[in-house]
Amino acid sequence: MTTPSPRRSPGPARRTHSFTESVIREMTRVAREHDAINLAQGFPDFPTPELLKDAACRAIRDDVNQYAVTWGAPALRLALEEKYAAFYGMAIEGDREVTVTCGATEAMAAVLLALVDPGDEVIVPEPFYENYGPDAILCDATPVHLTLEPPAFRLDPDRLEALITPRTRAIILNTPNNPTGRVFDREELEAVARICRTHDLLAVTDEIYEHILYRGEHIPLATLDGMRERTVTVSGASKTFSVTGWRVGTIVAPEPFTSAIRKVHDFLTVGAPAPLQEAVASAMTGFGADYYDELRESYRERGEVLYEALIQAGFGCERPEGAYYIMADISGLTDMSDADFSQWLAREVGVAPVPGSSFFSDPADGRHLVRFAFCKRVETLREAGERLRVLATAGRD
Ligand code: GLN
């Protein structure tokens, strides 16, 4: 006779206990509730380019409506080969080294589930985009935070090296960076590469903003010496082609990593939306340099409008080098916490940001910060600027 093993009642698994709801998406709901301008969640309020919309409709009409090849539509994997060669001189094999996922979000989760073991440590620079810590925790790994000091948010190699233990498995690097706006330069990336090589670490890069930068250059870590074989490069269509709702993400990784990643991806989602993969492939092959120049210039203008508005309203902030966010210091405006101020700003002023604490492991570090997204029409940003003016007026009273 066997004794029944003690069973837990139905309820949330332990690995979910430390997660909170996504603050970014919560602020989108708050913005809707108060009819505020949503400068919280990073999604465009302007139309997707016609080429993509036409190509997606065409694919649906042509009956590309069943599962795509699990690893990604052949046309898209081929387009990625051409893209990485043309932009970065990076030779990749679409058949063996590419996986197409449901957004960069699934990509990051699939990569860590495939390549990180329970008990491993994963280094996450902070401030961070909110998914990386939970992604590590889903693997029963531990996120270890590497502080990037404001206002420059430079990556300090000594600090990084000091965090490495025998359990360290990987470092996650997001450049251009959400939320700081940093574009890590060659010196910083070379230092990361050296440390990865010395300590035999995996690098996982989130390069979703690779085409949105105003200063410096985007250097995929995988292109540095000895890094191709230890780097997984994540990106996707969401930001480059203004299709955040399409959920088309991409992973480039050496073949042995890719086989593991493909298995996880297969069991998680089977595949990314088939007709939308065709449309993204059309955009990658159809758009020339002018598309990417125009993308950058339009974001530069939007960023400038928001930056001026924030400075005039009394926030402390720097112009971002890349991506489409500005982290703003609220100390000169209020004693409220970032969370209270964000709610207040949405309710009373009609502009919703994201509380800074959601980008830090210790919420106290972000208490005086809020993040604004500027992936919005210039008119939307000007209107937000008009509304934010009341802060400057209030300050003078
Ligand atoms: N990356 C975007 C942001 O930081 C969108 C986040 C999300 O909702 N997935 O706002």
Side-chain angles (χ1 to χ4, degrees):
M1 218 177 90
T2 53
T3 36
S5 58
R7 244 186 307 112
R8 296 173 61 244
S9 311
R14 274 189 293 274
R15 73 172 66 84
T16 66
H17 291 182
S18 63
F19 301 177
T20 48
E21 186 195 13
S22 157
V23 180
I24 296 176
R25 288 182 283 285
E26 181 196 340
M27 287 310 296
T28 284
R29 275 196 301 282
V30 171
R32 283 208 189 107
E33 196 180 307
H34 299 296
D35 210 11
I37 298 174
N38 184 356
L39 301 189
Q41 197 175 11
F43 64 86
D45 73 342
F46 46 84
T48 297
E50 292 298 322
L51 184 151
L52 282 123
K53 292 195 273 193
D54 289 345
C57 293
R58 200 178 328 114
I60 290 171
R61 290 213 176 84
D62 287 350
D63 258 319
V64 186
N65 295 308
Q66 309 311 325
Y67 302 122
V69 175
T70 297
W71 343 126
L76 181 51
R77 282 183 286 129
L78 188 63
L80 284 161
E81 280 186 8
E82 284 161 13
K83 165 196 148 163
Y84 277 96
F87 281 99
Y88 310 117
M90 191 171 145
I92 65 165
E93 283 186 50
D95 277 346
R96 301 188 316 121
E97 298 183 308
V98 169
T99 313
V100 179
T101 54
C102 296
T105 301
E106 191 220 337
M108 291 301 297
V111 167
L112 296 193
L113 285 166
L115 304 177
V116 168
D117 278 315
D120 286 350
E121 292 174 357
V122 177
I123 298 181
V124 179
E126 75 172 335
F128 46 69
Y129 174 55
E130 63 180 5
N131 281 41
Y132 309 139
D135 284 343
I137 292 166
L138 284 176
C139 308
D140 290 322
T142 309
V144 173
H145 297 103
L146 166 66
T147 303
L148 307 177
E149 286 292 345
F153 297 111
R154 279 195 73 79
L155 199 149
D156 178 342
D158 296 335
R159 257 197 167 151
L160 168 57
E161 203 145 25
L163 294 178
I164 293 171
T165 74
R167 288 178 182 276
T168 310
R169 186 72 167 261
I171 170 159
I172 294 179
L173 199 73
N174 167 221
T175 185
N177 188 264
N178 172 14
T180 65
R182 276 303 316 283
V183 175
F184 294 113
D185 63 25
R186 193 170 287 278
E187 190 187 331
E188 291 167 294
L189 296 172
E190 288 287 5
V192 173
R194 178 182 52 75
I195 291 167
C196 287
R197 287 190 307 259
T198 310
H199 298 275
D200 197 17
L201 303 182
L202 167 73
V204 181
T205 64
D206 178 351
E207 306 184 17
I208 190 81
Y209 301 98
E210 63 187 309
H211 296 295
I212 303 178
L213 67 166
Y214 322 106
R215 261 176 286 164
E217 63 173 321
H218 175 64
I219 305 169
L221 191 65
T223 60
L224 301 188
D225 262 5
M227 290 307 288
R228 180 73 167 80
E229 60 265 36
R230 59 173 68 255
T231 303
V232 177
T233 305
V234 168
S235 191
S238 296
K239 315 294 183 180
T240 301
F241 300 125
S242 306
V243 288
T244 60
W246 282 18
R247 314 315 296 134
V248 178
T250 62
I251 305 170
V252 176
E255 206 261 329
F257 297 172
T258 294
S259 334
I261 293 165
R262 285 178 170 184
K263 283 189 265 188
V264 173
H265 160 67
D266 190 3
F267 289 119
L268 280 178
T269 61
V270 180
L276 306 183
Q277 292 192 53
E278 296 300 331
V280 171
S282 302
M284 277 185 186
T285 48
F287 286 136
D290 52 336
Y291 175 80
Y292 298 91
D293 291 345
E294 152 76 23
L295 181 77
R296 254 194 322 275
E297 285 318 307
S298 61
Y299 272 119
R300 187 195 302 280
E301 183 190 356
R302 294 177 187 120
E304 209 46 43
V305 171
L306 178 63
Y307 173 78
E308 293 294 338
L310 293 177
I311 293 291
Q312 273 178 23
F315 291 90
C317 58
E318 303 281 333
R319 288 184 168 86
E321 296 168 341
Y324 49 49
Y325 306 97
I326 296 181
M327 279 282 253
D329 193 319
I330 58 175
S331 319
L333 287 169
T334 180
D335 292 331
M336 274 187 259
S337 73
D338 61 320
D340 290 346
F341 179 77
S342 297
Q343 295 275 347
W344 176 83
L345 201 69
R347 195 176 61 241
E348 302 298 331
V349 179
V351 178
V354 177
S357 51
S358 50
F359 304 100
F360 291 89
S361 50
D362 178 357
D365 291 336
R367 197 185 181 281
H368 61 294
L369 297 169
V370 295
R371 187 198 76 172
F372 293 91
F374 58 83
C375 44
K376 308 292 169 186
R377 294 169 212 257
V378 168
E379 307 89 86
T380 311
L381 294 165
R382 286 200 202 288
E383 173 59 28
E386 283 301 314
R387 295 184 186 187
L388 291 172
R389 247 176 230 275
V390 299
L391 296 175
T393 323
R396 279 199 299 274
D397 289 342

